């Protein structure tokens, strides 16, 4: 996990994290702890805490925008692995918490009006 993510965690508290149920350890070869997921459809599960109006993943440790980490980082779902530092989802989540937009290196973007 990049340094900027360790002080952010906004993506973990902004979106529903849903993925194919076969990624849970209830299925041979799955890695996401099944105790941390809930069913969404017959084929999809979501990380507990993210399927609600104000999502907050149960695996998120710490405080958004201060010090945050994923308690299951090595076992996280593909949905989590797809979010990259500075991508649209990252910056959308950061804006929800009043954090500045960043580029792919974790460097704050300059305001275009400046």
């Amino acid at each position: 996990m990049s340094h900027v993510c360790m002080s952010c965690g906004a993506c973990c508290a902004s979106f529903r994290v849903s993925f194919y149920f076969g990624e849970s350890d209830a299925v041979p070869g799955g890695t996401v702890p099944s105790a941390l997921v809930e069913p969404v459809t017959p084929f999809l599960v979501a990380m507990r805490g993210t399927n609600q109006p104000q999502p907050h993943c149960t695996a998120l440790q710490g405080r958004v925008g201060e010090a945050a980490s994923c308690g299951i980082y090595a076992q996280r779902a593909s949905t989590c692995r797809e979010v990259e530092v500075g991508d649209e989802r990252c910056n959308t989540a950061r804006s929800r918490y009043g954090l500045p937009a960043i580029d792919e290196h974790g460097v704050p973007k300059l305001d275009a009006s400046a």
Side-chain angles (χ1 to χ4, degrees):
M1 183 181 306
S2 73
H3 182 268
V4 71
C5 293
M6 300 278 298
S7 63
C8 183
C11 61
C12 306
S14 293
F15 308 112
R16 181 176 84 178
V17 179
S18 56
F19 49 95
Y20 180 62
F21 78 96
E23 290 188 54
S24 84
D25 65 6
V27 176
T31 60
V32 180
S34 58
L36 301 181
V37 302
E38 61 186 20
V40 176
T41 72
F43 298 103
L44 290 177
V45 294
M47 290 299 298
R48 289 194 184 279
T50 67
N51 193 20
Q52 56 189 3
Q54 294 183 334
H56 190 278
C57 183
T58 191
L60 177 61
Q61 299 174 343
R63 293 186 53 136
V64 173
E66 294 178 19
S69 65
C70 176
I72 61 163
Y73 186 77
Q75 299 144 304
R76 71 196 186 284
S78 60
T79 306
C80 301
R81 293 175 190 277
E82 291 169 358
V83 177
E84 296 184 15
V85 173
D87 73 7
E88 183 179 352
R89 291 171 289 185
C90 168
N91 283 319
T92 296
R94 290 177 62 80
S95 71
R96 289 181 179 161
Y97 287 89
L99 300 170
I102 56 175
D103 66 17
E104 68 274 9
H105 304 291
V107 177
K109 291 183 176 181
L110 297 177
D111 185 351
S113 64

